[in-house]
Amino acid sequence: MKSTSGEAASANNLRIAYLVSQYPAVTHTFILNEIRQLRQFGVELCVASISQPDRARQDMPEVEQLENSLTFYVKSRSRVKILTDHLQTLFSRPFGYFRGLFCALAMGQFHPVRTLSALFYFIEAVIVGQWMRRESLTHFHTHFSTTVGLICRKIFPQTMSMTIHGPSEFNDPVNFRLGDKIASSSFVCAISNYARSQLMKASPRRHWSKIEVAPLGIDTNLFTPHPFREVPEVFEVVCIGRLVSVKAQHVLIEAIHELKKRNRRVRLRLIGDGPDRADLERFVAASELTEQVIFEGWRNQQQILELYRHADVFALASFAEGVPVALMEAMAMQIPCVATRITGIPELIRDGIDGLLVAPSSVEELTDAIERLIEDTELRREIGKAGRKRVKEKYELARNVKRLAHIYAFRLENIDRKALSEFSAHGAAEVGIK
């Protein structure tokens, strides 16, 4: 597969759309960082978000407020304008309109709930396509909105690319239409080699050359080493993530319970929220761990940095992940990390070098790994330093986004010009309604 890592392609004069599920969002700060960094490298990005931000405007930091003001929100479009978008598309591109509609109906597979969801995706896809035409945008890249993107691609001659994070996209690749999405994309960015392998598995070999590995990254100038505590009175364990079953916080709480039984003074701080919170709180109360497990809820970046500064270990017991940005952040701050040996995590953490890896679902291994770090001060120190070095070498935001910009420049130079010519000819003949 051809790599663009050594290409000298320039990102200057690139103008593309970004289609995302929700922007800004506290769980997707890496998308905001990616967008801002791409703009610094000369890429002109216009952002469309399916949903409104996850917080009120006054609760956002200044940079997110600015992004909020620049973003087109699909679900906020008025009914009159939605109808106008659809009528305009129906009369100007009838074949494309019905091709998109049939694609959506096929996704529903005659199941009432799935069909209704797919029809909403179809409505949103038309809105996105018409927004792009008004803005004279010919290519869009999507994060977490690939189904809307696929339908949009069926209707309009714009070209499409996508970033696949995993692992949820790989759970049911057939119903997710992953193969069709890869075939409809000009190129695909996988955030890890594991993700690339799953994309290759879901697509015929003729499409494998489309797949680029483009790791995420963090700003190591923001996430800097925290004070090392030689012998903490209470050993602080931090975990960040949505409170959902796949994150396996129950397993981590059981490990804390085991450590308590071994007379270890530990405290776990769970940063995040989600549907499992009430059940987790009941589990903590039943296990008599209310003093050992603290539910912090969602925190802004500054608050997270402060919690990191008091952490002795970062622990992640997940059953499935992509390559967690929170792990990168903790490693950059020289916090030794314990995580499960799954999916893309071993590409970030080399066991015993940059962190400790344990088997998923194993309370015993997780407990032993945390206890090992409690006992061995020098191991904690060494792993912390190695973790930061690893992130700086492989997951530095500026370096990885620069590579992403080169991917865009190289790939977009080689996009089928016939599709773009069709877009331009059609757009010039159409009267746009804003």
Side-chain angles (χ1 to χ4, degrees):
M1 283 165 286
K2 187 172 184 178
S3 171
T4 64
S5 59
E7 295 293 331
S10 171
N12 290 329
N13 302 319
L14 280 180
R15 186 169 186 269
I16 62 176
Y18 250 46
L19 174 63
V20 297
S21 58
Q22 187 175 47
Y23 185 78
V26 69
T27 55
H28 293 161
T29 54
F30 60 88
I31 297 179
L32 180 141
N33 293 334
E34 178 178 294
I35 287 171
R36 295 184 66 215
Q37 192 71 56
L38 281 168
R39 287 175 176 153
Q40 289 185 30
F41 287 135
V43 181
E44 183 180 349
L45 291 180
C46 301
V47 182
S49 174
I50 301 299
S51 300
Q52 285 281 340
D54 57 356
R55 289 148 292 155
R57 186 177 175 85
Q58 63 269 21
D59 296 329
M60 299 179 197
E62 186 176 342
V63 64
E64 290 189 347
Q65 290 183 18
L66 175 60
E67 290 295 323
N68 176 225
S69 65
L70 297 174
T71 300
F72 173 77
Y73 290 99
V74 174
K75 288 184 177 179
S76 295
R77 194 140 173 88
S78 70
R79 292 181 180 178
V80 171
K81 290 183 177 179
I82 291 173
L83 179 61
T84 300
D85 288 339
H86 277 259
L87 289 175
Q88 189 175 35
T89 306
L90 175 61
F91 287 112
S92 64
R93 298 194 59 81
F95 292 113
Y97 188 85
F98 285 108
R99 186 165 55 242
L101 179 58
F102 292 150
C103 176
L105 292 173
M107 290 178 181
Q109 298 180 333
F110 304 105
H111 185 281
V113 175
R114 285 200 296 265
T115 299
L116 183 61
S117 295
L119 288 174
F120 279 118
Y121 290 145
F122 169 71
I123 293 169
E124 292 162 1
V126 171
I127 297 170
V128 170
Q130 288 294 347
W131 166 73
M132 287 186 65
R133 297 177 73 132
R134 289 192 300 272
E135 299 294 329
S136 300
L137 294 160
T138 58
H139 181 85
F140 67 91
H141 187 85
T142 178
H143 281 272
F144 302 115
S145 295
T146 55
T147 300
V148 174
L150 173 63
I151 298 173
C152 185
R153 181 72 181 91
K154 300 288 186 184
I155 302 169
F156 297 93
Q158 296 109 330
T159 53
M160 164 185 168
S161 58
M162 58 184 181
T163 292
I164 295 295
H165 298 261
S168 59
E169 296 96 330
F170 311 135
N171 290 339
D172 187 358
V174 174
N175 284 325
F176 188 65
R177 302 287 292 269
L178 186 56
D180 194 4
K181 290 172 181 178
I182 295 169
S184 298
S185 296
S186 301
F187 60 95
V188 182
C189 295
I191 67 165
S192 66
N193 284 293
Y194 171 80
R196 177 169 62 177
S197 75
Q198 299 306 295
L199 293 170
M200 292 167 70
K201 179 182 175 183
S203 60
R205 189 170 63 86
R206 67 179 181 274
H207 291 315
W208 290 2
S209 61
K210 294 181 176 183
I211 305 169
E212 297 270 6
V213 176
L216 302 176
I218 64 157
D219 183 357
T220 58
N221 293 317
L222 175 63
F223 295 93
T224 55
H226 77 309
F228 184 81
R229 303 202 305 169
E230 295 274 352
V231 186
E233 184 179 346
V234 178
F235 199 79
E236 290 274 348
V237 181
V238 168
C239 178
I240 298 180
R242 292 188 67 225
L243 303 184
V244 291
S245 59
V246 73
K247 297 292 187 179
Q249 285 99 352
H250 282 91
V251 175
L252 181 53
I253 291 169
E254 284 190 59
I256 297 299
H257 190 216
E258 287 298 315
L259 288 167
K260 180 185 177 183
K261 289 196 292 186
R262 297 180 190 182
N263 297 315
R264 299 295 185 178
R265 299 193 64 190
V266 294
R267 181 184 296 116
L268 169 65
R269 295 188 183 275
L270 292 172
I271 304 170
D273 214 332
D276 273 12
R277 178 163 181 165
D279 187 54
L280 288 166
E281 288 177 331
R282 286 192 293 269
F283 183 53
V284 166
S287 304
E288 299 182 344
L289 292 172
T290 52
E291 293 184 6
Q292 285 77 28
V293 180
I294 310 299
F295 291 86
E296 297 283 352
W298 285 121
R299 292 289 183 261
N300 62 37
Q301 191 168 78
Q302 194 56 48
Q303 292 169 326
I304 289 173
L305 282 168
E306 191 59 32
L307 289 167
Y308 275 147
R309 290 188 184 103
H310 294 89
D312 299 299
V313 163
F314 184 100
L316 201 64
S318 298
F319 300 141
E321 286 284 353
V323 181
V325 172
L327 269 180
M328 299 177 198
E329 294 171 351
M331 291 168 71
M333 296 188 73
Q334 294 188 181
I335 303 169
C337 294
V338 178
T340 42
R341 193 183 295 105
I342 56 168
T343 58
I345 289 178
E347 296 176 43
L348 171 62
I349 294 178
R350 296 167 297 180
D351 188 25
I353 301 173
D354 317 298
L356 300 181
L357 298 180
V358 300
S361 82
S362 176
V363 174
E364 182 180 4
E365 284 194 29
L366 183 58
T367 304
D368 289 346
I370 296 173
E371 186 171 48
R372 183 181 172 192
L373 292 172
I374 293 173
E375 291 179 338
D376 195 333
T377 301
E378 283 309 305
L379 179 64
R380 276 196 294 125
R381 194 194 309 273
E382 290 171 9
I383 281 180
K385 289 180 178 179
R388 177 169 174 81
K389 182 180 178 183
R390 178 71 168 171
V391 170
K392 284 180 70 67
E393 288 177 350
K394 300 292 185 181
Y395 297 92
E396 181 67 60
L397 178 67
R399 182 189 303 112
N400 287 0
V401 174
K402 186 175 183 179
R403 168 174 161 70
L404 182 62
H406 285 177
I407 290 172
Y408 288 160
F410 174 80
R411 292 287 184 168
L412 294 178
E413 282 177 354
N414 292 280
I415 276 180
D416 182 4
R417 309 313 297 178
K418 181 179 178 182
L420 299 186
S421 298
E422 180 188 352
F423 176 91
S424 300
H426 199 118
E430 184 180 274
V431 178
I433 300 177
K434 295 188 178 182

